[in-house]
Amino acid sequence: MLGAGNVTSAVDPGTPYGHYAPHYDAQGQSRWGESLIDFTLGTLLPRYGRRPRTALDLACGTGSAALLLARAGLATVGLDRSATMLALARAKARAAGVAHAPLNFVRADLRRFAFARPFDLVTCCYDSLNYLLDPADLVSALAAIRQSLSSGGLFVADLTTGRAYDADGDAAAWSLELGDVEYGFSTTWDPSTRIAETVITCATHTVAGARTVHEHHRQRAYEHDEVEEALVASGLRSLGAFAALPLRGPSLEPPGPRTRRLIYVAETAGPRGSRHG
Ligand SMILES: C[S@@+](CC[C@H](N)C(=O)[O-])C[C@H]1O[C@@H](n2cnc3c(N)ncnc32)[C@H](O)[C@@H]1O
């Protein structure tokens, strides 16, 4: 049980992923992003007839998705605002020794970023866009994405809807023990603001005692019509919206009223051939 035994508690409201970063991969949190990249490379790119040579993975976290893109031969940049997540991503890339294509990581805010050259593929995995609490920030991020997308380039992202939280009522909690670390996740959901707050608790037990840290993660649920509107407002054209299926992951099935996770595929609006339409 969390908090039990010889525990000294260092409570820190903390920047998201400041403390949780080293536990992220150990908990298998990178798996969804990896499955979306596999789906993108194996299903979406052939479906839309695209052969990208460069990729930008936004909110790249510990770099697992970026690593897959580089391994597939795409010159890849991973972008994230968390210095701790980026440090892990860089270490992972070094350890993997990716030789197939260049892989670099940059620290930036996905609401406002710009690159000198556009990318053929821009991805944003594992409900990272839900960290944008204000719909205006979602439009800003999508507008920056549009500016970073080459003509004929593809944007792929997933976002969670309110259904991800509705099922559990206004509060949900679970815990997990991995090695000498106990994790607690406690989520409160406010349907009126559409904002879910998850407090992640990591209690590490060592011979010297125990250390407990808390991190607050706030995400806003977005519904299908809101995302479609934001895509249009930012100059992107939606090519497809799909449902991620429980247990099966990414699919080509259309979203329905019970869809918890939406997958979007978009390109720059306007005629193909002109960079910004
Ligand atoms: C759920 S993790 C997803 C990480 C990775 N995409 C994956 O699939 O494992 C969310 C990531 O979004 C990043 N993030 C949240 N808000 C951001 C922002 N405004 N700008 C850049 N990165 C952001 C966090 O630092 C974190 O690494």
Side-chain angles (χ1 to χ4, degrees):
M1 215 179 92
L2 278 170
N6 180 22
V7 174
T8 55
S9 183
V11 180
D12 180 355
T15 317
Y17 299 101
H19 294 298
Y20 184 53
H23 308 280
Y24 190 84
D25 284 356
Q27 275 206 352
Q29 297 280 24
S30 291
R31 279 190 216 128
W32 164 261
E34 289 171 341
S35 70
L36 185 58
I37 297 302
D38 284 342
F39 184 68
T40 299
L41 296 172
T43 303
L44 296 177
L45 294 178
R47 179 184 173 93
Y48 295 102
R50 310 297 160 103
R51 290 190 182 165
R53 297 169 67 176
T54 57
L56 169 64
D57 185 44
L58 294 169
C60 64
T62 59
S64 301
L67 211 48
L68 283 183
L69 291 164
R71 282 196 174 119
L74 284 77
T76 302
V77 174
L79 175 154
D80 203 284
R81 73 173 171 191
S82 162
T84 41
M85 292 295 253
L86 285 172
L88 290 162
R90 290 190 180 106
K92 228 155 80 179
R94 268 196 306 275
V98 183
H100 313 284
L103 172 58
N104 292 293
F105 293 98
V106 296
R107 189 172 184 205
D109 192 312
L110 68 87
R111 290 169 294 183
R112 51 191 91 87
F113 64 89
F115 287 91
R117 292 187 183 187
F119 295 86
D120 301 331
L121 176 66
V122 177
T123 53
C124 190
C125 306
Y126 202 25
D127 51 69
S128 298
L129 288 172
N130 292 95
Y131 276 88
L132 305 179
L133 303 181
D134 184 339
D137 283 340
L138 179 61
V139 174
S140 300
L142 293 174
I145 288 163
R146 180 191 184 272
Q147 294 301 322
S148 302
L149 209 50
S150 62
S151 167
L154 219 57
F155 168 57
V156 178
D158 66 279
L159 294 99
T160 46
T161 70
R163 302 307 80 63
Y165 306 104
D166 287 343
D168 296 320
D170 58 5
W174 59 282
S175 62
L176 168 77
E177 212 171 316
L178 274 183
D180 58 3
V181 189
E182 288 174 83
Y183 300 94
F185 293 80
S186 167
T187 300
T188 48
W189 160 239
D190 182 348
S192 67
T193 60
R194 321 285 306 148
I195 289 176
E197 175 159 345
T198 300
V199 180
I200 303 180
T201 305
C202 305
T204 309
H205 302 266
T206 65
V207 282
R211 180 166 184 261
T212 303
V213 292
H214 303 278
E215 238 182 53
H216 293 245
H217 291 241
R218 298 179 81 219
Q219 289 182 290
R220 185 191 188 281
Y222 284 96
E223 302 306 320
H224 179 50
D225 52 352
E226 290 179 294
V227 182
E228 290 284 355
E229 271 173 36
L231 287 168
V232 171
S234 57
L236 287 164
R237 174 174 39 228
S238 173
L239 295 172
F242 306 105
L245 302 178
L247 304 178
R248 272 184 46 203
S251 83
L252 289 175
E253 294 196 15
R258 291 163 64 187
T259 301
R260 294 174 173 214
R261 188 179 294 275
L262 300 159
I263 298 165
Y264 287 90
V265 183
E267 64 178 1
T268 56
R272 296 270 293 271
S274 64
R275 192 189 144 192
H276 295 310

